[in-house]
Amino acid sequence: MTTIKIYGPVASRAARALWIAHELGIPFEHVPMEMKELKQPDYLKVNPNGKVPALVDGDFKLFESMAINLYLAKRFNKDGLWPDSPEEQALCYQWSFWGMTEVEKPLLTILIDMFMTAPDKRKPEVVAEAQKTLPKPFAVLNAALENQDYLLGSSFTVADLNLASICSWAKPIKYDFKPFPKTGAWLDRCLSRPAYKAAKATK
Ligand SMILES: N[C@@H](CCC(=O)N[C@@H](CS)C(=O)NCC(=O)O)C(=O)O
């Protein structure tokens, strides 16, 4: 087996790839990277966008956190993380793309304003707008989880991992899931997994 390399600090979207690597129990090398290294020529050969995460598997290079996780799930599948049927696999793509397009941006907008913006530069109106968009996808998610613990049914798959890794940003901003109890409980269920905790404990 080639050595898998995962680039990016744990305090970045690289946490998603670290999480799945722990779930799969694969040997991998973590290359934490400092933000200032991302635009260096050596790293641009790994990811021409100069962003993290990136994955190297032998001669194969891949960027985009969701693509990395879908690839790893399929390549090293363990415990049904990558489901068998084309329909279930399509649902993994669906929830991953949906998370990126419907959920990630508003959560990130709020997170950046709260934790990465000087108080005098914060924009309450932008945060309010982002807050306004979140109930819609969280209600969709709540309905999908009405009668099941995980997105595809009774077992945890890469669909849960990818979407929960995006939704995990709701935790530091203390998003109130009371109107969406199934969503809140699902997120807690996913984030209580030992592999998530192991990834977050990465130095
Ligand atoms: N859509 C990309 C986003 C990658 C991204 O923006 N990563 C951030 C860290 S979480 C980054 O590298 N920022 C540095 C920069 O933009 O210069 C993914 O999901 O992998």
Side-chain angles (χ1 to χ4, degrees):
M1 189 192 283
T2 54
T3 305
I4 302 279
K5 283 190 185 180
I6 295 172
Y7 291 79
V10 65
S12 77
R13 290 176 179 87
R16 301 169 181 178
L18 295 170
W19 181 5
I20 201 160
H22 282 286
E23 291 282 355
L24 293 165
I26 51 170
F28 69 94
E29 183 186 330
H30 179 219
V31 188
M33 305 293 294
E34 295 203 16
M35 285 298 162
K36 63 176 190 282
E37 294 176 293
L38 300 185
K39 312 297 181 226
Q40 299 296 318
D42 277 357
Y43 183 67
L44 292 174
K45 283 184 209 145
V46 175
N47 182 353
N49 299 288
K51 295 186 181 204
V52 287
L55 176 97
V56 173
D57 180 2
D59 293 332
F60 179 61
K61 295 175 193 149
L62 193 61
F63 55 78
E64 281 299 323
S65 56
M66 297 290 109
I68 290 170
N69 280 8
L70 291 161
Y71 168 75
L72 289 175
K74 183 171 186 181
R75 172 142 157 69
F76 299 105
N77 185 23
K78 188 178 162 219
D79 300 334
L81 211 59
W82 181 248
D84 290 333
S85 74
E87 290 82 2
E88 290 170 310
Q89 293 168 5
L91 289 171
C92 293
Y93 294 121
Q94 170 193 281
W95 287 115
S96 302
F97 297 164
W98 181 82
M100 292 297 267
T101 52
E102 304 293 324
V103 183
E104 191 183 68
K105 189 160 177 221
L107 280 180
L108 188 58
T109 299
I110 302 167
L111 196 70
I112 288 176
D113 192 85
M114 271 177 116
F115 297 108
M116 290 166 232
T117 308
D120 60 319
K121 300 259 165 20
R122 290 188 186 144
K123 295 204 171 84
E125 66 289 355
V126 175
V127 169
E129 200 50 47
Q131 284 282 9
K132 249 187 4 206
T133 65
L134 285 168
K136 200 170 151 200
F138 285 150
V140 168
L141 192 49
N142 206 65
L145 294 162
E146 186 59 42
N147 299 310
Q148 56 194 53
D149 280 350
Y150 296 103
L151 293 169
L152 271 65
S154 57
S155 54
F156 180 81
T157 68
V158 65
D160 299 287
L161 190 152
N162 275 352
L163 186 56
S165 71
I166 295 167
C167 295
S168 70
W169 290 347
K171 291 292 180 186
I173 68 165
K174 300 199 174 5
Y175 189 85
D176 181 9
F177 280 108
K178 266 195 225 86
F180 315 108
K182 298 285 181 181
T183 302
W186 162 84
L187 185 58
D188 288 342
R189 202 173 299 126
C190 294
L191 301 185
S192 67
R193 295 178 70 84
Y196 176 76
K197 292 183 182 159
K200 294 301 277 184
T202 305
K203 294 284 173 242

